[in-house]
Amino acid sequence: MTFSDAIRTCFSKFFTFSGRASRPEYWFFFLFIVIWSIIAGIIDWQFFTQVAVTETETSKSVTATSTGPVQSIVGLIVFFPHLAVAWRRMHDSGRSGLYALLPILLIVGAFAVLIFGIGLASHFQHGGSLDILFTRATLLIVLPTLLVLFVSPLLVLWWLARPSQPGTNQYGPNPYEVAP
């Protein structure tokens, strides 16, 4: 599969979460996203950046800010195709597509535990035994979750880089073995 074939395939399968995607299909589309994100960043930097200069008696500081509208638009355009191709890529390696969402699910889970755990602790007398118990229990759960949160993107990246599972699996035929 060529670079242009991968882009065409990913945009034509915008919301297709079934089937399998080969490594070149995923990684060429990923390269396309990186290239367009860089181009969008350059456009934002050139046309949508405000520069503010602040001077005091002893120093001068320059601050550049941008809302990044072009990068936001590019991100919205490629979000679902990228999620769909990552989902199909996971299928190609024999895993459920949900594994592509693993880091996001862990982030949501960590914040939920942190918010509810600290929230429960705040209902008790500050410095009391239940307050300390809930705070420590929350930290006991959140700290390993944060460790897994740092490892999970690397694990997902490794799964995305794995070769195709040979033959037909539960998600469909091997993309290398199917004639176009």
Side-chain angles (χ1 to χ4, degrees):
M1 177 169 284
T2 66
F3 184 75
S4 59
D5 288 340
I7 295 164
R8 197 174 311 110
T9 301
C10 289
F11 278 118
S12 69
K13 295 182 176 182
F14 205 86
F15 288 112
T16 304
F17 290 87
S18 61
R20 295 168 67 169
S22 63
R23 277 194 291 187
E25 180 181 342
Y26 177 79
W27 290 108
F28 279 145
F29 191 68
F30 185 82
L31 178 63
F32 169 79
I33 291 171
V34 169
I35 290 169
W36 274 102
S37 294
I38 291 169
I39 291 170
I42 291 170
I43 291 170
D44 282 339
W45 175 59
Q46 284 289 70
F47 298 110
F48 299 104
T49 301
Q50 292 91 25
V51 178
V53 178
T54 307
E55 286 189 49
T56 63
E57 292 179 14
T58 58
S59 66
K60 179 179 180 179
S61 66
V62 179
T63 307
T65 57
S66 175
T67 56
V70 178
Q71 278 187 317
S72 298
I73 291 168
V74 167
L76 286 172
I77 290 170
V78 299
F79 178 74
F80 281 113
H82 183 242
L83 180 60
V85 74
W87 197 278
R88 293 190 314 270
R89 181 72 199 113
M90 285 294 182
H91 285 175
D92 190 45
S93 64
R95 289 169 186 78
S96 169
L98 283 171
Y99 284 113
L101 298 175
L102 184 63
I104 295 169
L105 295 174
L106 287 172
I107 289 171
V108 169
F111 278 121
V113 166
L114 192 62
I115 289 168
F116 290 123
I118 301 294
L120 280 175
S122 68
H123 288 294
F124 298 103
Q125 180 183 3
H126 291 289
S129 60
L130 284 177
D131 177 30
I132 292 170
L133 175 70
F134 277 113
T135 304
R136 289 182 181 163
T138 300
L139 289 176
L140 248 149
I141 294 169
V142 168
L143 291 176
T145 304
L146 290 175
L147 178 66
V148 170
L149 184 64
F150 288 119
V151 173
S152 68
L154 299 173
L155 183 62
V156 170
L157 180 66
W158 185 69
W159 284 336
L160 291 170
R162 302 298 305 151
S164 295
Q165 197 176 41
T168 301
N169 67 12
Q170 62 186 351
Y171 303 107
N174 188 330
Y176 292 113
E177 298 169 358
V178 176

